[in-house]
Amino acid sequence: EYSDVNGRQSVSFGEEYQRAAFAALSQSDQDAIWDMQDRWAMEGHPKTLQGIIITNFVTPDNNARDSDVIFGVGSYLNHSCLPNVCSFISAPEGSESVQTITAARDIKAGDELTRSYIDPLQTRSKRRSHLKIAHDIDCQCELCSLEGYAQIESDANLSRFQEIDSEVEGLMKSGSVVAIASALPQALELIRLGVVETGANPCLLPKALQMAFLAACVSGKLELTRRLAYNMTATFVSD
C-alpha cells in the first residue's frame, strides 16, 4: 500500500491486480477459489478474495519471477510437522507453474495427505509460534503431541540440528576447500538428526544433503558422494 501527498491511503497495486486476474477466470475456476478456506472467515469475518489468496498462496521453489500461485488440489493439503507428501512447485520460464506432489513414505489407503507449511526442523515452541502467527493453527500433529522424555529429546535434537546447520553453513560460505572438507562429519550428523526427527522424509533435508554432498566431494570420498547424490534426487521433484 502507499499514501498520496495528502496522506490518503490507496488500494495496493497487488489487490487491483488480484481482482482483475480473478475476474478474467472462468466461472468454474472462480467458484473453486471461493470454495477455498479464508482463515479470517473462521473468526467470524466475511470471506474475502484477499483472505483466500493470503491463506492459500504458495511461491514456486525455483521461481525467479517473484509471483505467487494458488493450486486447486494443493490448497486442500493440511499441515503436519511430519508430512507424508512432498510438494515441489516449478515455474519454467514462459510456462505456467506446476505443482508436483509425491509420497514421502508409504501411505495407507484412507490416510490424510499432509504437507508442512513451515520448516519443521525447529523446536516445538518455535513451530507452534510460527504456525499460530502465519496460519492461526494450533498444531496437534504426531511430532507436536509428544510428551515427557520423548518431547525433551525431540527438542534437544532439533536445537542441535539448528546449531550444527549454522556452523556448517558458515564453513560452506568460507570458500575454503579445507573448511568445506572439515564440515563433512557435522553435515552427516545433520542428516542423522534430520532422519530421526522427520521419519526419513528426504524432502525436508535438501540443504543438509547438499552440504554433505559438497563436503564429501571436496574430501575425495567418491562412494559417499555417489550415495549422497542418489539421496539428493529424492529432494528435487520436477516434471
Side-chain angles (χ1 to χ4, degrees):
E1 297 184 356
Y2 66 95
S3 301
D4 63 17
V5 292
N6 296 313
R8 293 175 298 196
Q9 293 296 314
S10 300
V11 177
S12 70
F13 294 114
E15 287 186 44
E16 290 184 354
Y17 173 79
Q18 289 163 2
R19 284 198 293 266
F22 179 79
L25 295 175
S26 67
Q27 186 61 52
S28 60
D29 283 344
Q30 290 186 15
D31 291 342
I33 288 178
W34 277 113
D35 281 340
M36 293 179 183
Q37 188 178 71
D38 175 352
R39 56 162 289 195
W40 287 274
M42 297 172 64
E43 301 172 2
H45 300 287
K47 182 181 284 191
T48 65
L49 177 62
Q50 185 76 359
I52 292 171
I53 291 172
I54 293 174
T55 301
N56 296 282
F57 84 88
V58 290
T59 301
D61 301 84
N62 62 346
N63 183 27
R65 295 180 306 218
D66 194 30
S67 60
D68 301 318
V69 191
I70 292 179
F71 290 99
V73 174
S75 293
Y76 287 93
L77 293 175
N78 284 324
H79 165 81
S80 172
C81 297
L82 285 177
N84 56 15
V85 303
C86 301
S87 171
F88 182 83
I89 302 166
S90 57
E93 191 64 37
S95 303
E96 292 185 354
S97 298
V98 176
Q99 184 178 39
T100 304
I101 299 171
T102 61
R105 57 177 181 269
D106 289 342
I107 301 172
K108 297 178 182 178
D111 284 354
E112 179 184 11
L113 303 183
T114 58
R115 66 182 182 89
S116 182
Y117 294 176
I118 60 168
D119 174 11
L121 291 166
Q122 307 173 78
T123 59
R124 181 169 68 179
S125 62
K126 290 182 179 179
R127 294 196 311 271
R128 284 183 164 175
S129 176
H130 190 170
L131 286 166
K132 187 64 177 178
I133 293 171
H135 303 282
D136 196 28
I137 292 174
D138 295 308
C139 189
Q140 302 295 326
C141 73
E142 181 182 351
L143 189 60
C144 287
S145 298
L146 292 175
E147 297 179 349
Y149 179 76
Q151 170 55 32
I152 295 173
E153 184 178 35
S154 175
D155 268 359
N157 284 338
L158 292 169
S159 293
R160 182 60 180 153
F161 182 96
Q162 294 297 328
E163 181 181 326
I164 296 176
D165 180 68
S166 179
E167 294 172 357
V168 174
E169 186 173 8
L171 292 171
M172 292 290 160
K173 290 181 176 179
S174 71
S176 165
V177 172
V178 174
I180 294 173
S182 71
L184 182 58
Q186 291 169 291
L188 293 176
E189 177 65 4
L190 269 184
I191 295 174
R192 187 193 72 80
L193 289 170
V195 166
V196 168
E197 292 302 317
T198 67
N201 184 337
C203 299
L204 300 179
L205 297 170
K207 181 182 173 184
L209 287 166
Q210 289 173 44
M211 292 193 295
F213 169 81
L214 180 58
C217 185
V218 169
S219 300
K221 299 183 180 296
L222 300 184
E223 177 57 22
L224 178 58
T225 300
R226 184 192 67 78
R227 290 166 57 193
L228 288 166
Y230 176 82
N231 282 276
M232 281 172 62
T233 60
T235 73
F236 300 105
V237 183
S238 66
D239 55 346

